[in-house]
Amino acid sequence: MKLIAFGMRKDEVGFAEEWAQANQIDVEITGDLLTTDTINQAKGFDGIIALQTIPYDDALFSEMQKMSIKVLSVRNVGVDNIDLVAAKKHNIMVTNVPAYSPNAIAEFSVTQLMQLLRKTPEFNLKLKANDYRWAPNISRELRSLTVGVIGTGRIGRVAMDIYKGFGAKVIAYDLHPKPELKEAGLYADSLDDLFEQADVITLHAPATKENEHMLNRDTFAKMKQNVLIVNTARGTLINTEDLIDALKSGQVGGAALDTYEFENPIFNHDLSHVDIEDPLFNELLGMTNVILTPHIAFYTETAVKNMVEIAFNSAQQFLTTGAVETEVK
């Protein structure tokens, strides 16, 4: 059995090498992203480990089939840019990492909300200007607020537990309600009901066609004045232009965004010596009531180790048994 891992970052390499040694499997590691231009590096290998950051289309899966590659294991949850129909057509098994560390993302989302609530960005600017006055940046306490959690998968449920620990009232919405949460009466009657009740809305939903621009001009209008938005899920869940308008009008009081609708050319790249030619992103950067981070909610040692090991284990399991628990269907 031979595996090749594409797009490996330095922080992943050690975990991959440890896995290869422990399992006595031949593993090739490259920092190159998996594309139709680099797929030729996979000749002679049985499976590919990759990070899904760019679209994987029919042309790519066609090349995999020609090389007799049998499995593509992605080291992340999201598969929104993978053409699963094409993968099936070319007999390529696709696996993902359904849960690498729900705590990492849930904890980060709460951390960012606390910064919004305590006006940290505004006070940082005042400190830089030698202005040490408190007013008018008075805060609200989390225990006095209603937090609306959209998406009650593993991450959403951990976030709910954390918010409850702060004493906040927690309500939730999910297209596929969890029986135990429904029995506990934690679900709002509808998404509109959640919008009307919540002082904070935190997104933990996947990027699907149904969820695209879930938050937009119309839905912002249904929310409480001065609502706070937290997004550590997927950038496409929010219509960015509509969010900026809502921030300017005061309908949205602040936003903590670890994902951005058009993030791929920006996040995890060193752009310190170039101008970012994205007017929406630049406008968000200039807002004092917006906290932007470059998709780092997942980025902990525990999460990275789990992402690497689960992806390699999935490829090994499929190549050994012909079936795998982490198959993307």
Side-chain angles (χ1 to χ4, degrees), residues 140 198-201 223-229 250-254:
R140 291 180 283 173
D199 301 291
V200 176
I201 293 174
M223 299 175 190
K224 284 186 175 182
Q225 188 79 15
N226 205 35
V227 65
L228 300 178
I229 304 294
Q251 179 62 36
V252 173

Side-chain angles (χ1 to χ4, degrees), residues 80 203 205-207 211-215 231-241 243 257-264 267 295:
D80 41 295
L203 301 176
N211 287 342
E212 185 172 358
H213 289 177
M214 173 189 294
L215 301 193
N231 187 9
T232 54
R234 285 291 183 267
T236 55
L237 298 177
I238 300 178
N239 183 309
T240 305
E241 193 168 353
L243 172 62
L257 308 173
D258 188 52
T259 58
Y260 169 62
E261 191 174 0
F262 311 107
E263 69 182 51
N264 282 348
F267 289 175
H295 211 138

Side-chain angles (χ1 to χ4, degrees), residues 170-191:
V170 177
I171 58 175
Y173 178 82
D174 198 303
L175 286 172
H176 308 285
K178 303 296 182 292
E180 66 274 17
L181 299 182
K182 191 172 184 178
E183 187 177 338
L186 291 172
Y187 285 111
D189 292 335
S190 64
L191 195 52

Side-chain angles (χ1 to χ4, degrees), residues 6 35 43 59 75 92 112 148 151 206 233-234 246-248 265 289-290 321:
F6 284 88
T35 68
K43 286 180 181 177
R75 306 189 299 276
I92 308 296
Q112 299 303 83
R234 285 291 183 267
L247 285 161
K248 288 178 176 178
N289 57 346
V290 173
T321 69

